Amino acid sequence: MGAAVVLGLTACSTGQTSSSGAGPASVAPVTGKVSLTYLQKQGDQQYFIDEANGAKAKAAELGVDLKVVNLGSDANKTVSEVQSAIAQKTNGLIVVVPDPAVGPQVVQTARDAKVALLTSDDQVCTNSPTPANCDKANLVPRIGFSGQQMGTEVGKRAAEDFKKAGWNAADTRVISASKQDVTVCGDRVKAAKEAFNIGAGASVQTIDVATDNTPTGAQDKVAATITANPGVKHWVVWGCNDENVQGGVTALQNAGVGPDNIIGVGLGAYLACKDWGPGAPSGMKASLFINGSDIGALAVQTMYDNLKNGKPMPAEAFAPTTMVDASTWQSAGVKCS
């Protein structure tokens, strides 16, 4: 099932326009060739590789000079690379921050240099290290996916599979795994829980597991959760991304829980598809396909339209999503990492 707001590769807002001081209102229009810098966290992750490729393809189409930088998980590198890009006369910065705490410093640096700023995927606040506590007027314009809509789709699918399995709520637990200081993660897992509770027709206890959003990090934390809950027979797993769910499913299978007793619903599909390729039974039952290529292209288009044509950046713009499983992931165009 797709998200309600579908933009394809042209910018379209959610009904809001950017009125935060974070926008590029004071940035002069570009008359010559546009130069952009795309700074990404976890640039070796398949989703962000796809995002970079989408951005590069759109930049080539528009005649934009684009540089993509992998920040890894280094918050300090974010600031130094922003400064470096400005020194190299970039016209606009598109940023996926490894840590939202560096957001205000990134915003101030861009403002001082009169360089346009746009975020993709994760939110950034102009005056707070915690976007969740930020007034909407102080959020930097963002291109991404709707966390609430994505979480709702995940929760609905998990509920459908739970009902089909006929499990007893008393000996079932839900693992909700995510990096808890990332606003979009909170939006996703909260919506998943709400949708699951509505659709499951039963009250199943949810265990919130704090992770670093990596497969190994999630695996370690979920393993400890399994040990602390020895009487549980059935497990439902969702999280902020495919990494959390893959890590959770792996931990369960390593603990001797069979695939028939696991309902894992991922978010991304770029790791979930690995479990489906061999055709063997898996605890990963489905995943919401989010195409990073769409986000990268839309971010470049949005920044270009602003710098060349003066078109205001939307406060938020969303790209489409699709739920896939072992029988549909290939036809949906999922790329396995």
Side-chain angles (χ1 to χ4, degrees), residues 131-146:
N133 300 331
C134 189
D135 187 285
K136 286 187 177 181
N138 292 322
L139 289 171
V140 177
R142 179 179 79 95
I143 306 298
F145 297 98
S146 167

Side-chain angles (χ1 to χ4, degrees), residues 162-283:
F162 171 79
K163 292 178 76 173
K164 287 178 183 177
W167 293 349
N168 188 331
D171 56 18
T172 301
R173 294 291 182 273
V174 173
I175 290 176
S176 176
S178 70
K179 194 171 189 295
Q180 296 179 347
D181 61 348
V182 176
T183 311
V184 293
C185 287
D187 293 342
R188 295 171 189 179
V189 296
K190 179 183 177 183
K193 182 177 180 179
E194 291 173 351
F196 180 83
N197 288 341
I198 292 171
S203 179
V204 181
Q205 181 181 336
T206 298
I207 304 171
D208 295 320
V209 179
T211 74
D212 60 0
N213 277 355
T214 68
T216 53
Q219 183 177 335
D220 291 344
K221 294 300 178 88
V222 171
T225 301
I226 299 165
T227 301
N229 292 270
V232 179
K233 294 181 180 179
H234 312 293
W235 297 88
V236 178
V237 187
W238 64 62
C240 182
N241 54 18
D242 254 20
E243 284 80 356
N244 279 288
V245 181
Q246 186 191 60
V249 169
T250 300
L252 287 164
Q253 293 177 340
N254 287 348
V257 181
D260 289 344
N261 291 314
I262 305 170
I263 295 172
V265 182
L267 206 162
Y270 45 84
L271 294 182
C273 58
K274 284 186 170 183
D275 289 359
W276 302 328
S282 170

